[in-house]
Amino acid sequence: MSRSGLFITFEGIDGAGKSSHVEGLAAALRAQGRQVTVSREPGGTPLAERLRTLLLGETMDALTESLLVFAARRDHLRCVIEPALARGDVVLCDRFTDSSFAYQGAGHGVDFGVLAKLERMVQTDLVPGVRAMREPDLTLWFDIAPELAADRLAGASVPDRFEAQPLEFFRRVAQGYAQRAAAAPQRFARLDAAQDRDRVWQQLSSVLVRRGWLASMAAAQEGLE
């Protein structure tokens, strides 16, 4: 298996169950000798985590929200993601820029052109002499009907500002993800997140096996044990 760095992101609406698979994939990759960096957005650095607290708890308009998300992302890229990729790590990130287009764009109505400008500004010039915009090598999209996701979230003790949004908001967010996936089919892998956890893991594993990033389905399962 190649030891070049890989950048894999996990995306989906709240309640899709994506976060429960991040550590599982990390374990499977580590079992095969890969160095893995696990992180999340917004967050991943001390500064970005402070911005996350503001984003989840404070009332603000959609553009302010977008600017804070991208500010946190810039710090996260410079301090965590780029150094890890330079070392040859596999970086697993719970949410990235697709969430901004889905939540702030489709969900809250921020113009996609504005978000695209922020994306280019924040995700380029991260490494001296390299102008290419940093994007994930693979995005695992946990696709689920908003109604089912809402049922899963119903037991949450104290929902944050995003989890507390109405069902119609999550319908818009889900459509935003569908639009992003349609625009970048080579990067997105859609997983049917309505299935039980084991079946979702089988879908996820098969994507990694087909790309040569996991040795086999059996090896993937061993990494979880």
Side-chain angles (χ1 to χ4, degrees):
M1 183 181 292
S2 169
R3 285 302 187 261
S4 59
L6 290 172
F7 184 22
I8 301 173
T9 55
F10 291 64
E11 294 285 359
I13 65 174
D14 291 271
K18 60 181 175 50
S19 300
S20 65
H21 291 278
V22 176
E23 287 297 340
L25 181 55
L29 289 164
R30 287 171 180 142
Q32 296 187 133
R34 294 301 304 249
Q35 295 295 315
V36 180
T37 294
V38 175
S39 198
R40 67 176 183 177
E41 288 207 351
T45 70
L47 172 59
E49 290 292 336
R50 290 196 292 273
L51 293 175
R52 178 189 180 91
T53 299
L54 292 174
L55 285 160
L56 296 185
E58 298 292 333
T59 301
M60 62 190 74
D61 77 354
L63 182 56
T64 301
E65 186 176 284
S66 301
L67 293 169
L68 287 178
V69 167
F70 276 99
R73 181 164 297 130
R74 178 73 180 186
D75 194 59
H76 189 209
L77 280 162
R78 291 187 64 254
C79 298
V80 175
I81 294 175
E82 290 297 331
L85 293 173
R87 293 192 301 268
D89 288 12
V90 180
V91 176
L92 305 181
C93 191
D94 188 348
R95 298 198 182 283
F96 194 60
T97 307
D98 296 304
S99 283
S100 297
F101 281 85
Y103 277 78
Q104 283 76 49
H108 284 316
V110 176
D111 184 83
F112 276 26
V114 171
L115 295 175
K117 289 179 182 178
L118 290 170
E119 179 184 32
R120 289 192 297 273
M121 184 186 303
V122 165
Q123 293 168 219
T124 57
D125 293 322
L126 293 161
V127 178
V130 178
R131 286 286 300 165
M133 187 174 75
R134 172 61 69 191
E135 292 186 282
D137 297 295
L138 171 66
T139 296
L140 297 165
W141 173 31
F142 291 70
D143 188 22
I144 189 172
E147 294 79 6
L148 179 54
D151 287 342
R152 291 180 177 180
L153 288 173
S157 54
V158 182
D160 62 39
R161 192 166 64 86
F162 290 96
E163 293 171 341
Q165 292 290 328
L167 183 59
E168 185 54 39
F169 172 81
F170 287 108
R171 292 191 178 115
R172 296 195 300 271
V173 172
Q175 184 58 39
Y177 275 123
Q179 292 172 0
R180 289 286 283 181
Q186 74 287 350
R187 174 168 66 83
F188 269 79
R190 178 190 174 276
L191 308 178
D192 181 0
Q195 300 189 42
D196 64 42
R197 188 179 185 279
D198 288 344
R199 289 184 181 275
V200 174
W201 172 252
Q202 290 172 6
Q203 295 176 66
L204 187 159
S205 301
S206 68
V207 170
L208 275 290
V209 169
R210 287 197 303 271
R211 291 183 178 235
W213 298 342
L214 282 176
S216 66
M217 294 295 288
Q221 191 58 40
E222 288 174 5
L224 294 178
E225 294 174 353

Short mmCIF file of all heavy atoms in Angstrom, two decimals, residues 91-125:
data_model
loop_
_atom_site.label_atom_id
_atom_site.label_comp_id
_atom_site.label_asym_id
_atom_site.label_seq_id
_atom_site.Cartn_x
_atom_site.Cartn_y
_atom_site.Cartn_z
N VAL A 91 -5.52 11.16 6.81
CA VAL A 91 -6.27 12.12 7.62
C VAL A 91 -7.75 11.80 7.47
O VAL A 91 -8.29 11.82 6.35
CB VAL A 91 -6.00 13.57 7.20
CG1 VAL A 91 -6.88 14.54 8.00
CG2 VAL A 91 -4.52 13.91 7.39
N LEU A 92 -8.41 11.50 8.58
CA LEU A 92 -9.85 11.26 8.61
C LEU A 92 -10.50 12.45 9.31
O LEU A 92 -10.22 12.71 10.49
CB LEU A 92 -10.18 9.97 9.37
CG LEU A 92 -9.49 8.69 8.90
CD1 LEU A 92 -9.95 7.51 9.75
CD2 LEU A 92 -9.75 8.43 7.42
N CYS A 93 -11.35 13.16 8.60
CA CYS A 93 -11.93 14.37 9.15
C CYS A 93 -13.46 14.29 9.14
O CYS A 93 -14.06 14.07 8.09
CB CYS A 93 -11.47 15.59 8.35
SG CYS A 93 -11.87 17.16 9.13
N ASP A 94 -14.04 14.47 10.31
CA ASP A 94 -15.49 14.48 10.47
C ASP A 94 -15.98 15.88 10.08
O ASP A 94 -15.90 16.82 10.86
CB ASP A 94 -15.83 14.17 11.93
CG ASP A 94 -17.31 13.98 12.17
OD1 ASP A 94 -18.10 14.32 11.27
OD2 ASP A 94 -17.68 13.50 13.25
N ARG A 95 -16.43 16.01 8.84
CA ARG A 95 -16.89 17.23 8.16
C ARG A 95 -15.72 18.02 7.59
O ARG A 95 -14.62 18.04 8.13
CB ARG A 95 -17.73 18.14 9.07
CG ARG A 95 -19.02 17.50 9.56
CD ARG A 95 -20.00 18.56 10.06
NE ARG A 95 -21.21 17.96 10.58
CZ ARG A 95 -22.20 17.47 9.84
NH1 ARG A 95 -22.08 17.50 8.52
NH2 ARG A 95 -23.28 16.95 10.39
N PHE A 96 -16.02 18.67 6.45
CA PHE A 96 -15.09 19.60 5.81
C PHE A 96 -15.92 20.57 4.98
O PHE A 96 -17.06 20.88 5.35
CB PHE A 96 -14.05 18.81 4.97
CG PHE A 96 -12.86 19.61 4.54
CD1 PHE A 96 -12.02 20.20 5.47
CD2 PHE A 96 -12.58 19.79 3.19
CE1 PHE A 96 -10.92 20.95 5.06
CE2 PHE A 96 -11.48 20.53 2.78
CZ PHE A 96 -10.65 21.12 3.71
N THR A 97 -15.41 21.06 3.88
CA THR A 97 -16.06 22.15 3.15
C THR A 97 -17.43 21.78 2.59
O THR A 97 -18.29 22.67 2.45
CB THR A 97 -15.14 22.64 2.02
OG1 THR A 97 -13.86 22.95 2.59
CG2 THR A 97 -15.70 23.87 1.35
N ASP A 98 -17.67 20.53 2.27
CA ASP A 98 -19.00 20.15 1.78
C ASP A 98 -20.07 20.51 2.80
O ASP A 98 -21.20 20.86 2.43
CB ASP A 98 -19.04 18.66 1.46
CG ASP A 98 -18.11 18.30 0.31
OD1 ASP A 98 -18.25 18.90 -0.78
OD2 ASP A 98 -17.23 17.44 0.51
N SER A 99 -19.74 20.43 4.08
CA SER A 99 -20.70 20.82 5.12
C SER A 99 -21.05 22.30 5.02
O SER A 99 -22.19 22.70 5.27
CB SER A 99 -20.13 20.52 6.52
OG SER A 99 -20.22 19.15 6.82
N SER A 100 -20.08 23.13 4.64
CA SER A 100 -20.35 24.56 4.52
C SER A 100 -21.34 24.84 3.40
O SER A 100 -22.26 25.65 3.55
CB SER A 100 -19.04 25.32 4.27
OG SER A 100 -18.16 25.17 5.35
N PHE A 101 -21.16 24.15 2.27
CA PHE A 101 -22.10 24.34 1.17
C PHE A 101 -23.48 23.77 1.51
O PHE A 101 -24.51 24.32 1.10
CB PHE A 101 -21.55 23.68 -0.10
CG PHE A 101 -20.50 24.51 -0.79
CD1 PHE A 101 -19.18 24.43 -0.40
CD2 PHE A 101 -20.84 25.36 -1.83
CE1 PHE A 101 -18.20 25.19 -1.03
CE2 PHE A 101 -19.88 26.13 -2.47
CZ PHE A 101 -18.55 26.04 -2.06
N ALA A 102 -23.51 22.66 2.26
CA ALA A 102 -24.79 22.05 2.61
C ALA A 102 -25.51 22.83 3.70
O ALA A 102 -26.71 23.14 3.57
CB ALA A 102 -24.57 20.59 3.05
N TYR A 103 -24.81 23.18 4.79
CA TYR A 103 -25.45 23.82 5.94
C TYR A 103 -25.61 25.34 5.75
O TYR A 103 -26.72 25.86 5.84
CB TYR A 103 -24.66 23.52 7.22
CG TYR A 103 -25.01 22.19 7.83
CD1 TYR A 103 -24.51 21.01 7.29
CD2 TYR A 103 -25.86 22.09 8.92
CE1 TYR A 103 -24.83 19.77 7.84
CE2 TYR A 103 -26.19 20.87 9.49
CZ TYR A 103 -25.67 19.71 8.94
OH TYR A 103 -26.00 18.48 9.47
N GLN A 104 -24.49 26.02 5.53
CA GLN A 104 -24.59 27.47 5.39
C GLN A 104 -25.17 27.86 4.03
O GLN A 104 -25.91 28.84 3.94
CB GLN A 104 -23.21 28.12 5.58
CG GLN A 104 -22.75 28.22 7.02
CD GLN A 104 -22.26 26.90 7.59
OE1 GLN A 104 -21.44 26.22 6.96
NE2 GLN A 104 -22.75 26.53 8.77
N GLY A 105 -24.84 27.09 2.99
CA GLY A 105 -25.35 27.40 1.66
C GLY A 105 -26.78 26.96 1.46
O GLY A 105 -27.71 27.77 1.47
N ALA A 106 -27.00 25.65 1.29
CA ALA A 106 -28.35 25.15 1.03
C ALA A 106 -29.26 25.36 2.24
O ALA A 106 -30.44 25.69 2.08
CB ALA A 106 -28.29 23.67 0.66
N GLY A 107 -28.73 25.16 3.44
CA GLY A 107 -29.57 25.27 4.64
C GLY A 107 -29.96 26.68 4.99
O GLY A 107 -31.13 26.99 5.21
N HIS A 108 -28.96 27.58 5.04
CA HIS A 108 -29.20 28.95 5.51
C HIS A 108 -29.25 29.98 4.40
O HIS A 108 -29.52 31.16 4.67
CB HIS A 108 -28.13 29.35 6.53
CG HIS A 108 -28.32 28.74 7.88
ND1 HIS A 108 -29.54 28.68 8.51
CD2 HIS A 108 -27.42 28.16 8.74
CE1 HIS A 108 -29.40 28.11 9.70
NE2 HIS A 108 -28.13 27.78 9.85
N GLY A 109 -28.96 29.58 3.17
CA GLY A 109 -29.14 30.49 2.05
C GLY A 109 -27.97 31.38 1.69
O GLY A 109 -28.13 32.32 0.92
N VAL A 110 -26.77 31.10 2.23
CA VAL A 110 -25.60 31.87 1.81
C VAL A 110 -25.29 31.54 0.35
O VAL A 110 -25.30 30.38 -0.05
CB VAL A 110 -24.38 31.55 2.70
CG1 VAL A 110 -23.14 32.29 2.19
CG2 VAL A 110 -24.66 31.95 4.14
N ASP A 111 -25.03 32.56 -0.45
CA ASP A 111 -24.78 32.37 -1.87
C ASP A 111 -23.62 31.41 -2.11
O ASP A 111 -22.55 31.55 -1.51
CB ASP A 111 -24.47 33.73 -2.50
CG ASP A 111 -24.29 33.63 -4.00
OD1 ASP A 111 -25.32 33.64 -4.71
OD2 ASP A 111 -23.15 33.53 -4.45
N PHE A 112 -23.83 30.44 -3.00
CA PHE A 112 -22.79 29.45 -3.27
C PHE A 112 -21.55 30.11 -3.87
O PHE A 112 -20.43 29.62 -3.67
CB PHE A 112 -23.32 28.37 -4.22
CG PHE A 112 -24.08 27.26 -3.54
CD1 PHE A 112 -24.73 27.48 -2.34
CD2 PHE A 112 -24.16 26.01 -4.12
CE1 PHE A 112 -25.44 26.48 -1.71
CE2 PHE A 112 -24.87 24.99 -3.50
CZ PHE A 112 -25.52 25.22 -2.29
N GLY A 113 -21.72 31.21 -4.61
CA GLY A 113 -20.58 31.91 -5.15
C GLY A 113 -19.69 32.48 -4.06
O GLY A 113 -18.45 32.45 -4.15
N VAL A 114 -20.30 33.01 -3.01
CA VAL A 114 -19.54 33.52 -1.87
C VAL A 114 -18.78 32.39 -1.20
O VAL A 114 -17.59 32.52 -0.86
CB VAL A 114 -20.48 34.21 -0.86
CG1 VAL A 114 -19.75 34.55 0.44
CG2 VAL A 114 -21.10 35.45 -1.47
N LEU A 115 -19.44 31.26 -1.01
CA LEU A 115 -18.78 30.12 -0.37
C LEU A 115 -17.64 29.59 -1.23
O LEU A 115 -16.58 29.20 -0.72
CB LEU A 115 -19.79 29.00 -0.11
CG LEU A 115 -20.90 29.33 0.90
CD1 LEU A 115 -21.90 28.19 0.98
CD2 LEU A 115 -20.31 29.62 2.28
N ALA A 116 -17.82 29.60 -2.56
CA ALA A 116 -16.76 29.15 -3.45
C ALA A 116 -15.54 30.06 -3.37
O ALA A 116 -14.39 29.59 -3.42
CB ALA A 116 -17.28 29.06 -4.89
N LYS A 117 -15.76 31.37 -3.22
CA LYS A 117 -14.64 32.30 -3.06
C LYS A 117 -13.90 32.03 -1.76
O LYS A 117 -12.67 32.04 -1.71
CB LYS A 117 -15.15 33.74 -3.11
CG LYS A 117 -15.59 34.20 -4.49
CD LYS A 117 -16.11 35.64 -4.44
CE LYS A 117 -16.60 36.08 -5.80
NZ LYS A 117 -17.16 37.46 -5.77
N LEU A 118 -14.65 31.81 -0.68
CA LEU A 118 -14.02 31.49 0.60
C LEU A 118 -13.26 30.18 0.52
O LEU A 118 -12.16 30.05 1.07
CB LEU A 118 -15.09 31.42 1.70
CG LEU A 118 -15.73 32.75 2.10
CD1 LEU A 118 -16.92 32.50 3.03
CD2 LEU A 118 -14.71 33.66 2.77
N GLU A 119 -13.84 29.20 -0.17
CA GLU A 119 -13.17 27.91 -0.34
C GLU A 119 -11.81 28.09 -1.02
O GLU A 119 -10.80 27.56 -0.54
CB GLU A 119 -14.07 26.99 -1.17
CG GLU A 119 -13.49 25.61 -1.44
CD GLU A 119 -14.39 24.78 -2.33
OE1 GLU A 119 -15.09 25.36 -3.20
OE2 GLU A 119 -14.40 23.54 -2.18
N ARG A 120 -11.77 28.83 -2.11
CA ARG A 120 -10.50 29.04 -2.82
C ARG A 120 -9.51 29.81 -1.96
O ARG A 120 -8.31 29.50 -1.92
CB ARG A 120 -10.76 29.77 -4.14
CG ARG A 120 -11.46 28.93 -5.19
CD ARG A 120 -11.44 29.61 -6.55
NE ARG A 120 -12.15 30.89 -6.57
CZ ARG A 120 -13.46 31.00 -6.80
NH1 ARG A 120 -14.19 29.92 -7.04
NH2 ARG A 120 -14.03 32.19 -6.80
N MET A 121 -9.99 30.83 -1.28
CA MET A 121 -9.12 31.65 -0.46
C MET A 121 -8.49 30.85 0.68
O MET A 121 -7.29 30.94 0.94
CB MET A 121 -9.91 32.83 0.11
CG MET A 121 -9.08 33.82 0.91
SD MET A 121 -10.14 35.09 1.68
CE MET A 121 -10.96 35.76 0.23
N VAL A 122 -9.30 30.06 1.35
CA VAL A 122 -8.86 29.35 2.55
C VAL A 122 -8.06 28.10 2.22
O VAL A 122 -7.12 27.73 2.95
CB VAL A 122 -10.10 29.00 3.41
CG1 VAL A 122 -9.77 27.97 4.47
CG2 VAL A 122 -10.67 30.27 4.05
N GLN A 123 -8.35 27.45 1.11
CA GLN A 123 -7.78 26.14 0.83
C GLN A 123 -6.64 26.17 -0.20
O GLN A 123 -6.22 25.12 -0.69
CB GLN A 123 -8.89 25.18 0.38
CG GLN A 123 -9.86 24.88 1.51
CD GLN A 123 -11.13 24.18 1.09
OE1 GLN A 123 -12.22 24.47 1.58
NE2 GLN A 123 -11.01 23.23 0.18
N THR A 124 -6.12 27.37 -0.51
CA THR A 124 -4.95 27.49 -1.37
C THR A 124 -3.83 28.20 -0.61
O THR A 124 -4.05 28.76 0.46
CB THR A 124 -5.26 28.27 -2.66
OG1 THR A 124 -5.79 29.56 -2.32
CG2 THR A 124 -6.29 27.52 -3.51
N ASP A 125 -2.62 28.14 -1.21
CA ASP A 125 -1.43 28.77 -0.61
C ASP A 125 -1.17 28.27 0.80
O ASP A 125 -0.75 29.02 1.69
CB ASP A 125 -1.58 30.30 -0.59
CG ASP A 125 -1.56 30.90 -1.99
OD1 ASP A 125 -0.79 30.41 -2.83
OD2 ASP A 125 -2.34 31.83 -2.24
#
